[in-house]
Amino acid sequence: ALPIYASLNTTRIDPLSQRNLGIFKDFLHNQRKGCFSPIKVVHDEKIGFSVEALAAIPRHTLIAEYVGEVITTERSGETSSDSLMMLLDTGNPKTSLIIDPTRAGNFARFLSGINNRCCASRRKANVRTRRFVMDGKCRVALFTSKKIEAGDKLNYDYNAGVEGKTVEEWANTGFYDTSNFY
C-alpha cells in the first residue's frame, strides 16, 4: 500500500541530517526493489498479531516507515484501528494529525505496544520512532534502539511523546491508556 502523507507547516518538526535523509531514501529504494527488513508478522491466539525478528538486527537499523491514511485526531473515532500513530500534536483535535493504517498500512502496525507507565515494560521497547520532513511531507521512521536477536518481538511505545497525560487527555487526542499492555 502506498503511504498517504501530511502536507503541513512542518517548522515544528526537526529535520533529518542529509546523511540520514540519504539513508532513508536508500531504504525506500531497497523496498521498491524487494529488499525488506528480516522480520515476520506472527499471530498468537492470546495477544493477536506481533512482529518478530528473523535474524539479528543491529542497533539503529531502519526497519520501517509507519504508513497509512493521515486524518485529524477529531476523526479518530471513525476508525476501528488500534494502531493509530501520532503524527503531529497541535493541541487541537481539529488540526492534530494521526496515521491510521487500516486501509493503507504495512507491517509496522503490528509492532507490539508496551505499558509506558511501567519502567520494567519500558525496558522491553527495542524500536523507536522518528518524525521528519522529506519533500515537504511529514513521515515517521521506525528504527531499532538496541540490538535485536532472531526470535525477539519488536516492541515500542505507541504513546511516546504523550507521557504525563491523563486517560481522558489521551482519549481526547485519539490515543489510549497502555497500562494494560505487558
Side-chain angles (χ1 to χ4, degrees):
L2 294 174
I4 301 169
Y5 305 103
S7 293
L8 46 95
N9 179 351
T10 54
T11 57
R12 295 172 47 164
I13 300 172
D14 292 333
L16 281 182
S17 68
Q18 287 301 313
R19 178 177 178 268
N20 286 341
L21 198 55
I23 290 169
F24 185 76
K25 287 178 180 180
D26 288 345
F27 171 80
L28 294 177
H29 174 78
N30 288 341
Q31 281 193 320
R32 284 191 297 274
K33 297 290 184 184
C35 183
F36 297 96
S37 302
I39 59 91
K40 67 177 176 179
V41 176
V42 296
H43 185 263
D44 179 285
E45 290 298 322
K46 294 179 184 172
I47 63 169
F49 290 101
S50 63
V51 177
E52 290 181 4
L54 291 170
I57 305 172
R59 180 178 185 225
H60 294 153
T61 299
L62 180 59
I63 58 166
E65 178 180 10
Y66 202 95
V67 297
E69 180 181 8
V70 176
I71 62 173
T72 63
T73 57
E74 181 178 60
R75 289 190 46 217
S76 65
E78 299 172 13
T79 181
S80 61
S81 178
D82 64 353
S83 302
L84 303 175
M85 167 72 73
M86 179 60 79
L87 183 61
L88 181 68
D89 186 358
T90 65
N92 179 343
K94 293 179 186 294
T95 57
S96 293
L97 302 174
I98 57 175
I99 301 172
D100 177 358
T102 304
R103 289 185 269 168
N106 61 12
F107 76 87
R109 70 184 292 184
F110 298 118
L111 268 70
S112 298
I114 57 106
N115 174 354
N116 61 357
R117 293 185 180 186
C118 171
C119 289
S121 185
R122 278 194 209 140
R123 284 192 285 273
K124 289 183 182 179
N126 53 16
V127 173
R128 298 206 44 178
T129 60
R130 174 67 158 84
R131 284 144 186 81
F132 64 98
V133 176
M134 186 173 90
D135 301 327
K137 311 274 187 207
C138 186
R139 301 173 91 127
V140 180
L142 285 81
F143 63 94
T144 57
S145 57
K146 52 185 148 185
K147 183 179 180 187
I148 297 174
E149 299 296 336
D152 286 354
K153 276 195 183 354
L154 302 185
N155 302 289
Y156 77 110
D157 184 353
Y158 277 71
N159 291 323
V162 193
E163 293 89 352
K165 291 190 176 186
T166 66
V167 173
E168 292 78 20
E169 289 171 318
W170 280 352
N172 288 337
T173 58
F175 284 81
Y176 41 85
D177 181 6
T178 60
S179 60
N180 293 323
F181 286 24
Y182 61 93

